[in-house]
């Protein structure tokens, strides 16, 4: 399967007005791509399109709620109308709810799934209907929580597990049909977006992501590499790979680490943000958020992983570290 260079592509990005989506759009614009951005808030989309123009690119935008299939159809229609089609489709739109099971209302959990899961399903189906005939890349933004759940994030973790299951099944079906479509699941760790300020909270304090917190630009670079070179799964941040590996081989130990160390770090010191974007878009065309003292850092792991020559060395190191943690975990679980 051969994919075009980003410079020759039209790329659709849902959730393109802030965070990872906006970081991806800006980087793609600097590389020469043309963009179609979708989100629920027109002012933020217009500002995002201006940022793309300032970076030297072209961007159309569509006010759309990915939970509605008809809105997602309009995104594809705009790409065809404005640029003659698209080469890559990035499903990045997502929302967050923090709170213990039993404290988060069912309607809020269902709304989260409408965006995080059904929005991804709608985007995937619309993209595949077009790409089956022309070829290209579908990139679904999951999370380390596609592999490993975190406390206070049960609904979000469940939605990202669902994203992984759908993506894996779709990839197999397309391969069986011989469709020229690359399907990638991106699994970031804690990323320095405005999500803590945008999410709905039931803890009484503004949540925070457990450190280390990585730069959204690292996810953008990984997404755009997947637009050019087929890859099955891509972690962003060394901690994502570590948590996934440890969770697979020593789940009891990972549970203990999560409840002992991660859970306290998720509770910030400030009062909760009074507004959120669960039901309505409230983004401000910002890539970065406020993470209450956590440094937003680059990921040496992700940068090495994007270098094909380093892949085997990274894999060997991950296996060695995983084996060490597994041995320690078995000792703890056997105690």
């Amino acid at each position: 399967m051969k994919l075009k260079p980003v410079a020759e592509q039209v790329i659709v990005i849902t959730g393109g007005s802030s965070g990872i989506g906006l970081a991806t759009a800006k980087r793609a614009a600097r590389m020469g791509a043309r963009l179609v951005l979708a989100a629920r808030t027109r002012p933020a989309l217009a500002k995002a399109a201006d940022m793309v123009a300032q970076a030297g690119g072209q961007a159309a935008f569509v006010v759309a709620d990915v939970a509605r299939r008809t809105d997602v159809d309009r995104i594809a229609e705009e790409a065809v109308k404005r640029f003659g089609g698209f080469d890559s489709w990035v499903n990045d739109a997502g929302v967050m709810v923090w709170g213990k099971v039993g404290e988060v209302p069912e309607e809020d959990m269902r709304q989260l799934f409408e965006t995080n899961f059904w929005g991804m399903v709608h985007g995937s189906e619309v993209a595949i209907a077009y790409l089956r005939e022309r070829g290209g890349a579908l990139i679904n933004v999951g999370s380390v929580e596609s592999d490993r759940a975190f406390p206070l994030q049960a609904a979000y973790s469940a939605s990202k597990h669902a994203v992984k299951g759908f993506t894996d099944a779709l990839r197999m079906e397309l391969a069986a049909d011989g469709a020229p479509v690359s399907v990638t699941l991106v699994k970031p760790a804690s990323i320095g977006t405005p999500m803590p300020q945008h999410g709905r909270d039931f803890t009484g304090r503004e949540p925070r992501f457990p450190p280390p917190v990585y730069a959204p630009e690292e996810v953008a670079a990984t997404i755009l590499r997947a637009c050019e070179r087929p890859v099955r799964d891509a972690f962003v941040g060394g901690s994502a790979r570590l948590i996934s590996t440890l969770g697979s081989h020593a789940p009891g130990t990972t549970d203990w680490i999560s409840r002992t160390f991660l859970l306290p770090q998720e509770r910030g010191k400030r009062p909760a943000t009074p507004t959120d974007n669960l039901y309505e878009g409230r983004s401000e065309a910002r890539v970065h958020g406020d993470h209450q003292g956590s440094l937003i850092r680059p990921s040496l792991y992700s940068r090495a992983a994007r270098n094909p020559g380093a892949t085997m060395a990274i894999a060997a190191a991950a296996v060695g570290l995983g084996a060490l943690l597994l041995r320690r975990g078995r000792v703890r679980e056997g105690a």
Side-chain angles (χ1 to χ4, degrees), residues 3-4 182 184 224-232 306 308:
L3 302 173
K4 296 179 183 178
S182 170
T184 298
L224 293 175
R225 180 169 179 79
C227 289
E228 292 184 319
R229 301 180 186 219
V231 59
R232 176 190 177 91
R306 293 191 295 269

Side-chain angles (χ1 to χ4, degrees), residues 22-96:
L22 181 54
T24 304
K26 292 172 67 175
R27 184 180 181 92
R30 290 192 296 270
M31 296 172 69
R34 293 169 291 171
L35 287 305
V36 179
L37 308 179
R40 293 176 293 178
T41 308
R42 180 176 293 275
L45 277 170
K47 187 172 180 181
D50 287 342
M51 292 180 181
V52 167
Q54 291 169 13
Q58 301 177 54
F61 66 84
V62 181
V63 179
D65 185 343
V66 296
R68 295 193 286 262
R69 174 61 184 261
T70 53
D71 281 16
V72 180
D73 286 332
R74 289 194 295 104
I75 300 170
E77 290 165 3
E78 180 64 18
V80 173
K81 176 182 175 182
R82 179 72 179 270
F83 298 119
F86 56 90
D87 304 286
S88 294
W89 184 293
V90 181
N91 284 314
D92 174 62
V95 293
M96 172 67 91

Side-chain angles (χ1 to χ4, degrees), residues 279-296:
Y279 290 90
E280 297 180 3
R282 299 183 186 277
S283 59
E284 312 87 5
R286 292 173 52 204
V287 171
H288 302 100
D290 182 353
H291 291 268
Q292 302 189 56
S294 292
L295 176 68
I296 299 177

